[in-house]
Amino acid sequence: MFFVANALIGLVGLVAALAVIRMAGPRVGARQDGARWLLAALAILPMTAVILAAIEGQIDWHEHATHGLECFVAGTGSGALVAVALVAWLRRGAPVTLNIAGFYTGVATGALGSFAYGLTCPVDSIGHLGIWHVAPVALSAALGRFIVPHWVRW
């Protein structure tokens, strides 16, 4: 499960970063469907974690709380360099849909940061990976959606 979850998180980050790079040079008819489908696939991880925890009766996840918060903070912060690079790229380009570009910038930031830190994580349960390693992607996507458009405006 460790390799599947981290590979999916890393793939989401790469595809979202590619979508941002393509958005900097807009063209008629360009679509970013690949990132949407991968985000839908990524949503399976937390849903599976919650369903399995409910079935096993372990909703509280006490044993993963310490590592979980560490993974969340480190995964969120590890993507800072990605955010700087993508925002600089967007500023040099001409993105048309700033809100979507900001959203995908946040997704790439959170996913690549979580992937980078996740390779050293000692916990490999679906409950941990599905919650604590996907949470940085969700937080960074929300932050990117609201913060990045202000930095990229023409």
Side-chain angles (χ1 to χ4, degrees):
M1 194 64 220
F2 175 80
F3 293 110
V4 172
N6 280 313
L8 181 58
I9 291 169
L11 190 59
V12 166
L14 288 175
V15 170
L18 179 62
V20 171
I21 291 168
R22 292 180 65 194
M23 283 182 193
R27 61 183 202 272
V28 175
R31 298 178 64 177
Q32 307 302 332
D33 291 340
R36 287 186 206 144
W37 283 105
L38 278 172
L39 282 172
L42 185 64
I44 293 171
L45 289 177
M47 289 186 333
T48 303
V50 169
I51 290 169
L52 287 176
I55 289 171
E56 296 172 359
Q58 297 176 345
I59 293 293
D60 50 359
W61 290 315
H62 289 298
E63 70 273 9
H64 301 302
T66 305
H67 275 297
L69 188 57
E70 178 183 330
C71 288
F72 174 73
V73 170
T76 303
S78 295
L81 186 60
V82 174
V84 169
L86 290 177
V87 168
W89 186 267
L90 285 171
R91 288 182 61 90
R92 293 185 56 162
V96 176
T97 53
L98 295 177
N99 293 335
I100 295 173
F103 175 76
Y104 283 137
T105 299
V107 169
T109 297
L112 291 175
S114 184
F115 170 75
Y117 186 77
L119 293 176
T120 65
C121 182
V123 183
D124 64 351
S125 71
I126 185 64
H128 177 79
L129 294 169
I131 300 299
W132 295 107
H133 289 238
V134 176
V137 179
L139 176 66
S140 296
L143 290 174
R145 161 63 181 83
F146 293 108
I147 294 173
V148 171
H150 297 291
W151 290 341
V152 178
R153 296 216 188 270
W154 305 353

